[in-house]
Every structure is written in C-alpha cells, then in structure tokens.
Amino acid sequence: MNKLLAITVLTALLALSAESFRVPRDAEEKGTFANVMDTLKSYYDKSVDTANSYVETVKGYKIEEKAKNVYDETVRAVTTYSGIFGDQLYHMLYSQDSA
C-alpha cells in the first residue's frame, strides 16, 4: 500500500511539473510573418543602438565646441588682417597727397 501511495504521489508530482513547462499555444504557432517581423525589429533595434553609440562618441569628441572655436579664431584673424590691409591701402592712396 505504501508503494502504491508513493507511486501515486510521484505520478501526481510528475504530471504537475510537466504541466508547468508547457509552452503557450501562441508561441507554438508562430508563423513566417511573425518571424520576419521579429527579425526586422531586431535589425532596427541594433541600428538604433549603433547610431546612438556614434552620437555619444561624437559628443565625446566635443566637435561642436571645437568648430565654434575654429570659427571664432578665423573671424578674429580675418578681422585683424582686413584692418591691416585697409590701413596699408589708406596709406598707399593718401600718402601721395601729403608729399
């Protein structure tokens, strides 16, 4: 009788644990369209992650700040040299009148 009780308990436990590992029916019947959509979604997610990593890398280089500094330095240099050129031109044109 104890053997029969032990076998019954073991069979019940086996049946209950086997039921807990059952795969839902929707996942079993995943079709081609769902597989294609999952693949496309994974490609999209990977490309977005890659683009975000590139953006973070570019921000790390501080390119915007460097470009602004180059622009400011160029404007200063052009302003200075155009002033010098204007002075030279003025003295070339009006120095003849005073002599």
Side-chain angles (χ1 to χ4, degrees):
M1 180 103 153
N2 286 338
K3 289 182 182 181
L4 183 62
L5 181 63
I7 291 173
T8 305
V9 169
L10 288 175
T11 305
L13 286 174
L14 181 64
L16 290 175
S17 63
E19 183 67 27
S20 67
F21 289 112
R22 184 178 170 138
V23 178
R25 191 158 185 84
D26 292 338
E28 290 174 356
E29 296 178 0
K30 198 173 204 183
T32 304
F33 181 73
N35 288 333
V36 169
M37 291 305 294
D38 287 345
T39 302
L40 290 175
K41 185 177 182 307
S42 74
Y43 286 150
Y44 174 78
D45 291 340
K46 287 179 186 176
S47 64
V48 168
D49 291 342
T50 303
N52 284 336
S53 69
Y54 288 153
V55 167
E56 292 302 319
T57 301
V58 168
K59 283 182 181 178
Y61 292 146
K62 298 181 181 179
I63 290 178
E64 293 176 11
E65 182 180 332
K66 290 179 182 179
K68 183 182 177 299
N69 290 341
V70 167
Y71 173 78
D72 290 341
E73 290 172 6
T74 304
V75 167
R76 262 188 262 128
V78 168
T79 303
T80 301
Y81 287 113
S82 66
I84 292 171
F85 178 74
D87 287 344
Q88 293 293 323
L89 187 63
Y90 176 80
H91 287 294
M92 283 179 12
L93 293 176
Y94 293 108
S95 65
Q96 295 172 358
D97 289 341
S98 63

